[in-house]
Amino acid sequence: MTTVLIVDDQPLQRFGFRMLLENNPDTSVVGEASSGSEAVRQTAELHPDVVLMDIRMPGMDGIEATRRIVASGGRSRVLVLTTFDGDAYAYNALRAGASGFLLKDARPQELLAGIRAVAAGDAVAAPALTRRLLDGFVQQPPPGAEAGADPRLEVLTGREHEVLEAVAQGLTNGEIAERLTLSESTIKTHVSRIMGKIGARDRVHAVIIAYEAGLVRPDRPGPAQS
């Protein structure tokens, strides 16, 4: 059973999420919050597995609430909701520590799958969406900087570099296994070790680190490309 805290300033939106989650046998709603400050307080009190976080709210927004929840060091993970996949707010929420994001028009099964994925520390819904978002907003090392020279990546083996690069490209464990001719369980073990070595909270954080280190270059025009 995955416990969820719903955070949204719109009562009807919260009601819709609650109806969906309470009618699903694998999820349980432990509370609702209408603002970022309420979300921080209730997360500290209720310790939900997943905080379903709206980003744009009056007062403390979802980005700051996410930052405070993650900084508290608790086990709760944040899944943010946004209106479109090129949203700078969604990128800032990932940088603040969110474990992933979904579009607000996602189908019910996509939302449920995203909640399960976040609770398990895995990629959320479609990795390609996360990559497209990072392509648009991530800050790359200066032109000429050696790709992958970030000290956080120096502890990785050659194989782990390959796996992290593939993860950052939006590939699933199965797709990485096929590319590297390894078993999916071996890839899962590699990913777990990589996250431990580089200090990543989860798979999404590992992707952000890979981008910031220059291990993967954005698919957009500009001097940062190689």
Side-chain angles (χ1 to χ4, degrees):
M1 180 71 69
T2 300
T3 56
V4 182
L5 172 66
I6 300 170
V7 184
D8 198 294
D9 63 331
Q10 299 295 322
L12 283 177
Q13 189 79 68
R14 295 197 306 274
F15 177 78
F17 288 141
R18 177 178 281 276
M19 290 293 291
L20 171 65
L21 296 176
E22 289 189 339
N23 282 295
N24 178 61
D26 300 327
T27 52
S28 173
V29 177
V30 294
E32 296 182 17
S34 60
S35 67
S37 56
E38 279 187 41
V40 173
R41 178 179 59 79
Q42 290 199 43
T43 299
E45 293 175 355
L46 302 172
H47 308 291
D49 296 316
V50 176
V51 180
L52 191 60
M53 181 77 76
D54 187 23
I55 295 180
R56 305 183 192 190
M57 296 179 288
M60 183 188 296
D61 63 15
I63 297 171
E64 180 59 25
T66 296
R67 184 176 294 110
R68 295 190 186 192
I69 289 170
V70 173
S72 72
R75 66 181 180 85
S76 300
R77 296 179 180 273
V78 179
L79 174 60
V80 297
L81 297 172
T82 183
T83 51
F84 63 101
D85 61 5
D87 196 342
Y89 284 93
Y91 170 67
N92 289 331
L94 293 181
R95 289 297 311 276
S99 294
F101 75 98
L102 284 176
L103 303 183
K104 279 199 167 183
D105 62 357
R107 294 190 298 271
Q109 289 306 313
E110 291 175 330
L111 178 60
L112 294 172
I115 290 171
R116 287 193 295 268
V118 165
D122 207 346
V124 175
L129 285 180
T130 300
R131 174 159 192 197
R132 186 153 69 245
L133 186 72
L134 294 176
D135 280 345
F137 296 105
V138 77
Q139 295 299 309
Q140 287 289 313
E146 182 182 352
D150 190 294
R152 289 173 293 185
L153 305 190
E154 291 178 357
V155 297
L156 301 181
T157 66
R159 176 64 81 189
E160 287 169 344
H161 267 270
E162 288 181 299
V163 172
L164 179 57
E165 182 176 357
V167 169
Q169 290 170 347
L171 273 63
T172 64
N173 287 349
E175 290 167 339
I176 299 171
E178 184 176 353
R179 172 188 286 189
L180 300 181
T181 320
L182 295 170
S183 70
E184 191 167 344
S185 62
T186 297
I187 297 301
K188 186 174 182 179
T189 298
H190 276 309
V191 172
S192 180
R193 288 176 178 169
I194 288 166
M195 291 194 295
K197 285 184 175 183
I198 66 178
R201 291 179 301 271
D202 48 43
R203 196 179 182 105
V204 169
H205 190 202
V207 173
I208 291 175
I209 291 172
Y211 266 73
E212 292 178 336
L215 186 62
V216 176
R217 298 289 181 172
D219 288 337
R220 66 173 188 266
Q225 284 188 312
S226 60

